[in-house]
């Protein structure tokens, strides 16, 4: 494991239904494996070939597009990790509010990294659609986002 372990028990809400919890666990497991464990080959084996619409226009459609984007980031920043702060579930939608950092020494420092809101739509126990909003927190991360963003890799609406 490269990054922190996400503890879903600390993030679970008492009012969630069994289906809400199942959907939240699916999104958290995916984030743990891609963002913290960097288990790209395992995710390819599990998810590739499944329908997945990506609404972040800077990432190619499909799970492979997400893997390629995160893999490229991890190649530049091997300590990249993702710390989920809140989970919101509304039926078939799961929203994760997270703090991502590029270096292990930045974990937990709220003035470093990225503030990220990820939303997935779950259908029949699978992640099938994804939206996100990414905000660089420090000046260097805002600059990084400006310099690396911009190339359109899918034709899906951001909404």
């Amino acid at each position: 494991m490269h990054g922190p372990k996400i503890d879903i028990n600390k993030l679970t809400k008492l009012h969630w239904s069994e289906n809400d919890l199942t959907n939240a666990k699916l999104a958290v497991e995916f984030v743990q494996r891609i963002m913290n464990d960097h288990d790209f080959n395992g995710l390819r084996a599990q998810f590739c070939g499944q329908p997945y619409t990506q609404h972040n226009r800077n990432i190619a459609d499909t799970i492979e597009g997400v893997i390629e984007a995160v893999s490229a980031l991890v190649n530049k920043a091997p300590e990249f990790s993702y710390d989920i702060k809140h989970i919101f579930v509304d039926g078939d939608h799961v929203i994760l509010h997270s703090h991502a950092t590029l270096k292990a020494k930045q974990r937990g420092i709220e003035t470093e990294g990225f503030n990220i809101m990820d939303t997935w739509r779950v259908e029949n126990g699978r992640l099938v659609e994804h939206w996100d909003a990414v905000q660089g927190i420090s000046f260097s991360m805002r600059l990084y986002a400006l310099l690396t963003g911009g190339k359109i890799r899918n034709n899906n609406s951001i909404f």
Side-chain angles (χ1 to χ4, degrees):
M1 178 163 68
H2 299 279
K5 177 74 174 135
I6 301 164
D7 185 354
I8 186 129
N9 295 319
K10 292 181 180 178
L11 299 162
T12 300
K13 307 293 188 289
L14 294 175
H15 67 273
W16 286 354
S17 69
E18 204 170 305
N19 189 60
D20 292 342
L21 181 58
T22 298
N23 289 346
K25 284 181 177 179
L26 181 65
V28 168
E29 177 191 359
F30 179 75
V31 165
Q32 178 67 46
R33 290 179 65 197
I34 195 165
M35 301 295 198
N36 291 337
D37 299 345
H38 309 155
D39 180 19
F40 307 125
N41 290 329
L43 290 170
R44 280 185 181 99
Q46 182 178 353
F47 289 102
C48 279
Q50 296 180 15
Y52 186 85
T53 303
Q54 177 59 253
H55 292 279
N56 178 327
R57 307 263 334 263
N58 301 125
I59 298 175
D61 238 355
T62 73
I63 291 289
E64 185 60 34
V66 177
I67 292 170
E68 287 175 9
V70 176
S71 177
L73 175 62
V74 167
N75 282 336
K76 294 176 186 172
E79 296 177 339
F80 173 78
S81 67
Y82 210 80
D83 181 21
I84 299 173
K85 301 295 187 179
H86 305 282
I87 302 174
F88 307 95
V89 182
D90 184 15
D92 60 354
H93 288 85
V94 177
I95 302 167
L96 304 182
H97 183 202
S98 305
H99 181 211
T101 51
L102 299 179
K103 299 178 181 179
K105 68 181 182 180
Q106 296 172 332
R107 292 180 189 149
I109 300 173
E110 293 183 7
T111 57
E112 297 291 341
F114 295 94
N115 173 30
I116 301 177
M117 299 289 287
D118 284 295
T119 302
W120 282 273
R121 185 172 65 82
V122 178
E123 185 177 278
N124 298 321
R126 293 187 172 158
L127 302 174
V128 296
E129 202 164 5
H130 173 259
W131 300 260
D132 65 11
V134 180
Q135 174 190 27
I137 298 171
S138 64
F139 175 76
S140 61
M141 291 300 96
R142 291 192 310 267
L143 183 60
Y144 175 81
L146 180 66
L147 295 175
T148 60
K151 184 171 184 181
I152 304 299
R153 292 182 171 87
N154 71 58
N155 293 319
N156 303 323
S157 164
I158 60 172
F159 303 104

